[in-house]
């Protein structure tokens, strides 16, 4: 007997890629359970499926940086409170982070793919489900977006939950209207501007000399952010060309406002409306 749940949850996370650097992603999750009926003539109560499996998935991968720890360009150092990840990119620049342990999902692979993530979640989930569940299948799906979109990574130090982690992200669409008419031109411009971008707040900028770890030698300008939040101290050093620093927090509300104000400078008297998405099906609207 099989039990299925579609759109069980959404995973918002970021993974490290040798060429692209930080890649923010949002995946919808489908689950199929296989096993024997229990004393209630069920495989598992739907309410338990949603609560239990979602909780495990959230704890393992959601709002985390997914790291291919077996990659030759990846070095990991673990101390009592934090884990440091050094990841060399294709152009010989590097991304370096030092964050509380729970900010990462460290996978035994040399490249992060959907199939690797699915297999990892299936393995983790199966051992935590009731004995009558003998197998399961996880399918991760990207939202179908027919217009340009971007992948972004950020951290929200003021957030009470897991959004405070310095490198988690989203795959997001954006809708922009000028005088109530959809603007393909502006949507394309922002999709290109924020392709695989790290979005930082200027108040979190740090002199690299103040980092608690030694920066790798670099021939390119570097961006450095750090902050204390409820979960601990987060530090990040990465190529400046892969980031954009904003004069505000990087909540979706502030991103919508920033995009709207930036476009308004060019559009003058025209009305500008921006629908900025944070992953799938949620976001903020700014109008000027």
């Amino acid at each position: 007997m099989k039990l299925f749940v579609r759109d069980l949850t959404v995973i918002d996370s970021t993974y490290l890629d040798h060429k692209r650097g930080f890649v923010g992603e949002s995946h919808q999750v489908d689950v199929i359970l296989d096993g024997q009926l229990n004393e209630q003539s069920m495989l598992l109560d739907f309410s338990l499926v949603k609560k239990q499996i979602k909780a495990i998935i959230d704890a393992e991968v959601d709002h985390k940086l997914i790291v291919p720890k077996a990659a030759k360009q990846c070095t990991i150092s673990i101390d009592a409170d934090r884990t440091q990840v050094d990841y060399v990119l294709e152009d010989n620049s590097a991304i370096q982070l030092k964050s509380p342990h729970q900010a990462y999902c460290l996978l035994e692979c040399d490249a992060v793919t959907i199939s690797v993530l699915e297999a990892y979640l299936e393995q983790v989930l199966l051992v935590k489900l009731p004995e009558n569940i003998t197998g399961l299948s996880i399918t991760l799906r990207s939202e179908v977006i027919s217009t340009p979109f971007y992948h972004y990574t950020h951290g929200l130090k003021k957030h009470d939950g897991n959004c405070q982690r310095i490198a988690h992200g989203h795959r997001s669409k954006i809708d922009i209207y000028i005088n109530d008419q959809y603007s393909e031109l502006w949507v394309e411009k922002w999709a290109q501007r924020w392709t695989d971008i790290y979005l930082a707040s200027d108040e979190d900028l740090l002199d690299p000399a103040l980092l608690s770890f030694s920066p790798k030698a670099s021939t390119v300008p570097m961006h450095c952010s750090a902050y204390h939040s409820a979960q601990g101290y987060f530090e990040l050093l990465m190529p400046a060309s892969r980031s954009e620093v904003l004069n505000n927090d990087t909540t979706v509300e502030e991103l919508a406002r920033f995009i709207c104000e930036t476009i308004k400078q060019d559009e003058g008297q025209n009305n500008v409306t921006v629908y900025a998405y944070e992953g799938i099906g949620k976001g903020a609207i700014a109008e000027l």
Side-chain angles (χ1 to χ4, degrees):
M1 180 64 68
K2 296 181 186 292
L3 187 74
F4 70 89
V5 181
R6 292 177 180 157
D7 298 327
L8 173 71
T9 188
V10 173
I11 298 170
D12 289 306
S13 60
T14 286
Y15 68 90
L16 285 169
D17 180 83
H18 188 42
K19 180 178 181 180
R20 297 169 64 185
F22 282 138
V23 184
E25 273 292 358
S26 299
H27 288 119
Q28 295 168 309
V29 181
D30 298 335
V31 178
I32 297 177
L33 303 176
D34 196 354
Q36 304 299 318
L37 299 185
N38 60 21
E39 64 279 1
Q40 297 175 312
S41 298
M42 298 178 178
L43 282 182
L44 192 63
D45 186 282
F46 278 117
S47 64
L48 293 179
V49 172
K50 293 177 181 179
K51 291 179 182 178
Q52 186 174 3
I53 296 182
K54 183 182 184 305
I56 296 169
I57 289 174
D58 287 350
E60 293 292 332
V61 295
D62 191 50
H63 284 75
K64 291 192 175 191
L65 177 64
I66 302 172
V67 180
K69 63 181 293 187
K72 63 181 181 181
Q73 64 269 21
C74 184
T75 303
I76 295 174
S77 304
I78 300 175
D79 62 24
D81 299 315
R82 296 191 295 158
T83 296
Q84 180 176 333
V85 173
D86 298 341
Y87 189 82
V88 179
L89 302 173
E90 186 180 55
D91 60 5
N92 289 320
S93 64
I95 293 175
Q96 295 179 268
L97 306 95
K98 194 167 186 180
S99 302
H101 308 309
Q102 66 265 35
Y104 305 98
C105 174
L106 306 178
L107 295 185
E108 288 289 353
C109 63
D110 52 19
V112 178
T113 64
I114 286 180
S115 60
V116 166
L117 273 175
E118 289 171 341
Y120 172 74
L121 289 172
E122 288 169 359
Q123 181 182 19
V124 169
L125 283 164
L126 189 57
V127 299
K128 296 183 178 182
L129 293 176
E131 291 183 357
N132 67 304
I133 305 299
T134 57
L136 81 158
S137 173
I138 297 287
T139 300
L140 303 182
R141 296 182 288 108
S142 296
E143 179 186 21
V144 176
I145 304 175
S146 60
T147 54
F149 56 88
Y150 47 72
H151 302 253
Y152 74 92
T153 297
H154 66 157
L156 304 176
K157 70 179 179 185
K158 301 171 186 175
H159 195 269
D160 292 333
N162 294 333
C163 291
Q164 67 189 266
R165 294 167 181 170
I166 202 167
H168 74 276
H170 314 273
R171 175 182 181 265
S172 301
K173 66 177 295 186
I174 180 171
D175 295 328
I176 300 171
Y177 296 85
I178 307 300
N179 294 329
D180 297 323
Q181 297 296 311
Y182 182 82
S183 174
E184 295 181 4
L185 177 63
W186 279 116
V187 169
E188 179 64 35
K189 282 184 177 180
W190 282 92
Q192 291 182 3
R193 178 169 173 168
W194 282 357
T195 299
D196 297 338
I197 197 74
Y198 183 83
L199 298 176
S201 172
D202 58 0
E203 69 179 28
D204 298 329
L205 296 181
L206 183 75
D207 183 338
L210 300 178
L211 287 167
S212 68
F213 57 83
S214 298
K216 288 186 176 293
S218 176
T219 59
V220 300
M222 299 295 286
H223 164 86
C224 184
S225 281
Y227 55 74
H228 290 275
S229 67
Q231 291 185 1
Y233 187 47
F234 295 83
E235 298 172 281
L236 166 66
L237 184 67
M238 63 177 294
S241 62
R242 298 173 183 266
S243 68
E244 181 165 345
V245 180
L246 310 183
N247 63 353
N248 45 254
D249 292 325
T250 59
T251 62
V252 70
E253 295 91 342
E254 291 285 18
L255 296 184
R257 182 184 65 81
F258 173 77
I259 295 168
C260 192
E261 290 178 350
T262 303
I263 294 172
K264 183 68 172 180
Q265 292 174 9
D266 284 346
E267 289 292 340
Q269 296 301 311
N270 291 327
N271 296 322
V272 179
T273 304
V274 173
Y275 289 73
Y277 288 74
E278 185 181 72
I280 300 172
K282 63 185 189 300
I285 304 169
E287 300 174 289
L288 285 173

